[in-house]
Amino acid sequence: MKHIGVAAMELLQRLKESIAWLGGALAALTAICYATGYYAFHAHLTMLGLGRVVDFKHEDMLLEGARFFFAVTAHLLQMLLALGAGGVSVLVVLALLGEIGPLARSGRRAREWLIRRRAALAAARPALKGTLLLTALVVLLIAHTDRFFYPLLALGRIDSLLFRSGAQATADCRALIPVAGSGLPPDVAASLLMQGERCNVFLLAEFRRLLDGYLVLLMAVGASFSFSTAIRPEMLARACRLVLAAYAMVYTLLLPVAFGILVRAAVYPLASLEFKDGALASGNLMTRNDKNLLLWLPADRKAVWYPSETIARLQVTGQANLFLVPEGGAK
């Protein structure tokens, strides 16, 4: 009986530790989702021009952060599966070719020559391998910043689209995208956003392209830790890892901003208000609290706070994009 009591106490202690760990993990996940949702929501409202007007709700922040992680995880898993399938296909082809006698002998001779050549270079120039590796990392980092980081950073310059005039509907969204260049410039992304729901596939493609760059960056960070022993001196290897880690952190913080601008659609409920004095108003319901209600009036191109105490009836009739109607006509 004594042994049974000791086992029960140990089991209870482990259960308590597991519950404490699970509670801490859930709290950390909630905090991360909230912070991510805040960045995404704030970027979305700043893009609209209402960043300092609309109040953030806690549940909206959590939901937006969850949507962000779902979209990122789904795309990264898709890319990893595609890369894995491609790698397996290459290995299968190489294995089949290795079964052919002449090709197998040629492959063995090529591997032996490469091993001898690498050993000779390592003996003659011990620092050459580390220098070439560091040079390749620097070149790849420069190319990555030009193709992915600067377009991602430039998205933060998109703001106050609701108050811009002169948005013209286009029948071909692709005509707005430049043929040359990497990524969507801010003016092109703004033009696509102002087309409403018609061009969202190109905006989503840009976000996925930025996620591809994030996957490449994560692979480079992992490779920097694997190949750090080849870079000498050790201080230089540590500096390389530190730069890549800091760059990956900044890139990570900017991804929710891109999600809030490119992915989150500017779709809000359509509401009709009837006031106690008999007046009427209709527009997009942006937010509501216990005291006020914020309504975007597309005809007047302005957002107005209405006190809740003055409203006699509120009717929601559907949802609509803040920019252009699906048919392409301006509101």
Side-chain angles (χ1 to χ4, degrees):
M1 294 295 293
K2 183 178 180 180
H3 294 292
I4 295 176
V6 172
M9 291 297 294
E10 292 180 354
L11 180 61
L12 183 60
Q13 182 63 29
R14 291 182 181 179
L15 182 60
K16 290 181 179 179
E17 294 175 354
S18 300
I19 293 175
W21 177 87
L22 181 61
L26 290 176
L29 182 61
T30 301
I32 293 174
C33 284
Y34 183 86
T36 303
Y38 176 85
Y39 279 120
F41 219 97
H42 187 273
H44 172 77
L45 294 175
T46 301
M47 176 265 293
L48 297 178
L50 302 174
R52 298 181 180 273
V53 178
V54 178
D55 296 329
F56 301 131
K57 294 182 180 179
H58 297 290
E59 57 271 20
D60 290 339
M61 301 301 100
L62 292 175
L63 289 175
E64 201 65 22
R67 293 190 190 101
F68 168 80
F69 282 111
F70 177 79
V72 171
T73 303
H75 183 69
L76 291 182
L77 285 177
Q78 182 182 4
M79 291 303 300
L80 288 175
L81 289 176
L83 291 175
V88 170
S89 300
V90 171
L91 291 177
V92 169
V93 171
L94 292 177
L96 292 176
L97 292 177
E99 296 297 325
I100 303 175
L103 292 177
R105 290 191 294 270
S106 300
R108 285 195 299 269
R109 286 196 296 267
R111 286 194 298 271
E112 292 172 356
W113 180 84
L114 287 174
I115 292 173
R116 291 194 302 269
R117 184 60 180 169
R118 186 172 60 182
L121 286 175
R125 298 179 180 179
L128 180 61
K129 180 180 178 180
T131 302
L132 292 177
L133 182 59
L134 183 60
T135 303
L137 286 175
V138 171
V139 171
L140 290 176
L141 182 61
I142 294 174
H144 190 277
T145 55
D146 181 67
R147 182 167 181 79
F148 298 105
F149 180 72
Y150 290 131
L152 175 60
L153 187 64
L155 291 175
R157 300 203 302 265
I158 302 176
D159 61 353
S160 304
L161 294 187
L162 285 178
F163 303 97
R164 295 187 185 182
S165 59
Q168 299 294 328
T170 177
D172 184 12
C173 298
R174 194 182 299 274
L176 299 173
I177 303 174
V179 178
S182 59
L184 295 178
D187 56 339
V188 174
S191 299
L192 293 174
L193 286 166
M194 295 177 73
Q195 299 299 316
E197 297 293 295
R198 301 171 59 252
C199 301
N200 58 357
V201 62
F202 298 97
L203 297 169
L204 181 59
E206 173 65 8
F207 182 70
R208 289 176 174 174
R209 191 188 72 85
L210 297 174
L211 287 182
D212 294 340
Y214 187 57
L215 179 60
V216 172
L217 180 57
L218 293 180
M219 295 171 62
V221 171
S224 68
F225 284 90
S226 302
F227 299 149
S228 59
T229 56
I231 301 176
R232 289 292 182 269
E234 179 64 22
M235 186 63 68
L236 187 60
R238 291 181 180 179
C240 178
R241 293 196 299 268
L242 180 62
V243 169
L244 282 176
Y247 178 52
M249 184 179 299
V250 174
Y251 200 101
T252 302
L253 293 176
L254 289 175
L255 278 177
V257 176
F259 179 84
I261 295 175
L262 298 175
V263 180
R264 193 181 194 282
V267 176
Y268 289 85
L270 283 173
S272 298
L273 303 182
E274 181 179 346
F275 298 94
K276 294 180 179 179
D277 60 359
L280 301 175
S282 61
N284 296 89
L285 179 61
M286 304 300 301
T287 187
R288 185 183 184 185
N289 53 41
D290 295 335
K291 297 182 179 180
N292 300 287
L293 178 148
L294 181 63
L295 199 67
W296 169 255
L297 306 177
D300 301 327
R301 301 180 63 85
K302 63 182 181 181
V304 180
W305 283 101
Y306 294 106
S308 299
E309 60 185 13
T310 63
I311 300 174
R313 187 168 66 99
L314 168 64
Q315 182 180 5
V316 177
T317 59
Q319 291 186 332
N321 195 283
L322 297 178
F323 294 109
L324 301 177
V325 295
E327 290 77 12
K331 287 184 177 181

